[in-house]
Amino acid sequence: MSPRRGPGRTRVRGLDEAPPPGAAEVFVQHVRLGPDAGTDGYPYDLPVVRALRASGGLAFDRPVTFLVGHNGSGKSTLVEALAVALGLNAEGGSQNFRFATADAHSPLGEALVVRHGRRKPRSRYFLRAESFFNVASEIDRLDREGGGPPIIDGYGGVPLHERSHGESFLDLFVHRFGPDGLYVLDEPEAALSPQGAMAVLARVHELARAGAQFVIATHSPILLAVPDARILEIGDDGSWHAVAYDEAMPVVLTRGFLADPARHVAELLEDG
Ligand SMILES: Nc1ncnc2c1ncn2[C@@H]1O[C@H](COP(=O)(O)OP(=O)(O)O)[C@@H](O)[C@H]1O
Ligand SMILES: [Mg+2]
């Protein structure tokens, strides 16, 4: 299948093409439900978790994998569980963070079985937009305790509570994330301006070419344009399929809206 592209649109690799030449082998190749997984109640009754069971698992075949789907489709549940299965803190941070402000994470992470590639990541990190404030507080607390080089130096040196939400995200991408790292991100665009999202797009691409792997749940039509990324769209029945950039729902809906905002607003208000 050849890549589908419209005039003037971002070129994105077609669905059946091999990974880009020179792409490093991914760290996380596959994730599936293990024998300890339950069957009833949250998270096991979510359509996407049922689909995980029925399909035998989710494969990661590119350095950058995006998960897209409506609110409530289970993206956060899935990426949080992947982070936990990788030994990361459910509220975010690196493998060295162990804090919990709420015992709210699902048991799914403990029930997942991850297939790792031969390479080992140089660092790992889980960015969860909604609880990054707590990560910033934890860095402050650990640095007050002392006992080692300041952790904040790895984030550019300015305490993250003294940065705007978006600036602190950019610090993370620029200073903390590096080549050969494994990064699981939940809606990183939440704090970013359009320019910030474009800067993150460029940084993700740069790091992916330098051996990093990203798994990113997002609604951002900007971020989704990272070249050579795999976009997996979760449908209403919980199953997912690979889509090209131009067919991804956030891109189709945003493009349609921006082509004629007045008409779309009128239709939305009529429906209400
Ligand atoms: N702790 C929880 N207990 C019960 N249901 C939950 C819990 N957390 C999330 N859910 C439900 O699981 C569904 C998927 O949530 P989530 O993974 O956050 O979706 P997304 O990130 O795709 O918007 C939602 O319908 C939500 O209400
Ligand atoms: Mg979410």
Side-chain angles (χ1 to χ4, degrees):
M1 178 177 175
S2 64
R4 282 180 266 181
R5 37 184 312 218
R9 291 183 174 177
T10 308
R11 186 190 186 288
V12 173
R13 226 161 239 279
L15 302 186
D16 298 329
E17 290 182 35
E25 187 192 66
V26 293
F27 302 115
V28 175
Q29 300 180 328
H30 189 263
V31 64
R32 66 177 170 85
L33 275 190
D36 297 336
T39 49
D40 301 319
Y42 175 83
Y44 303 111
D45 58 1
L46 280 184
V48 74
V49 177
R50 290 192 189 281
L52 198 62
R53 187 190 305 275
S55 66
L58 172 58
F60 301 98
D61 65 348
R62 298 279 174 88
V64 181
T65 304
F66 287 110
L67 296 175
V68 300
H70 291 307
N71 296 125
S73 59
K75 302 177 300 298
S76 293
T77 302
L78 214 50
V79 294
E80 173 198 276
L82 176 61
V84 168
L86 294 172
L88 296 164
N89 194 40
E91 288 189 32
S94 70
Q95 61 270 40
N96 302 322
F97 286 81
R98 280 285 158 263
F99 72 92
T101 55
D103 189 19
H105 80 272
S106 83
L108 187 60
E110 283 84 17
L112 291 183
V113 178
V114 175
R115 188 168 78 226
H116 297 271
R118 283 161 299 182
R119 291 195 309 136
K120 290 270 170 291
R122 200 193 289 172
S123 81
R124 281 174 281 169
Y125 207 98
F126 176 36
L127 169 64
R128 168 170 222 165
E130 63 192 39
S131 52
F132 193 61
F133 181 93
N134 302 336
V135 173
S137 301
E138 181 68 359
I139 294 170
D140 278 355
R141 192 187 68 75
L142 291 170
D143 280 346
R144 273 198 308 276
E145 273 181 4
I151 297 169
I152 194 63
D153 286 354
Y155 293 75
V158 183
L160 298 177
H161 283 312
E162 294 173 22
R163 303 281 272 159
S164 80
H165 198 195
E167 287 172 328
S168 66
F169 277 29
L170 290 171
D171 284 345
L172 183 71
F173 278 90
V174 172
H175 300 289
R176 178 61 184 74
F177 290 0
D180 297 316
L182 171 55
Y183 304 114
V184 180
L185 316 177
D186 192 9
E187 293 190 30
E189 72 273 17
L192 297 172
S193 67
Q195 294 98 312
M198 290 177 204
V200 164
L201 179 167
R203 182 68 173 150
V204 167
H205 182 52
E206 180 186 24
L207 292 174
R209 281 195 303 182
Q213 181 181 2
F214 289 85
V215 177
I216 307 175
T218 189
H219 299 291
S220 168
I222 295 175
L223 275 189
L224 285 173
V226 172
D228 298 320
R230 173 68 78 205
I231 303 173
L232 300 176
E233 190 160 287
I234 302 169
D236 290 340
D237 65 352
S239 68
W240 56 86
H241 64 289
V243 293
Y245 178 80
D246 288 319
E247 278 77 43
M249 205 45 76
V251 177
V252 171
L253 293 179
T254 307
R255 193 174 261 153
F257 184 89
L258 292 179
D260 193 349
R263 181 174 64 81
H264 279 267
V265 171
E267 280 174 13
L268 288 168
L269 299 185
E270 260 170 39
D271 288 351

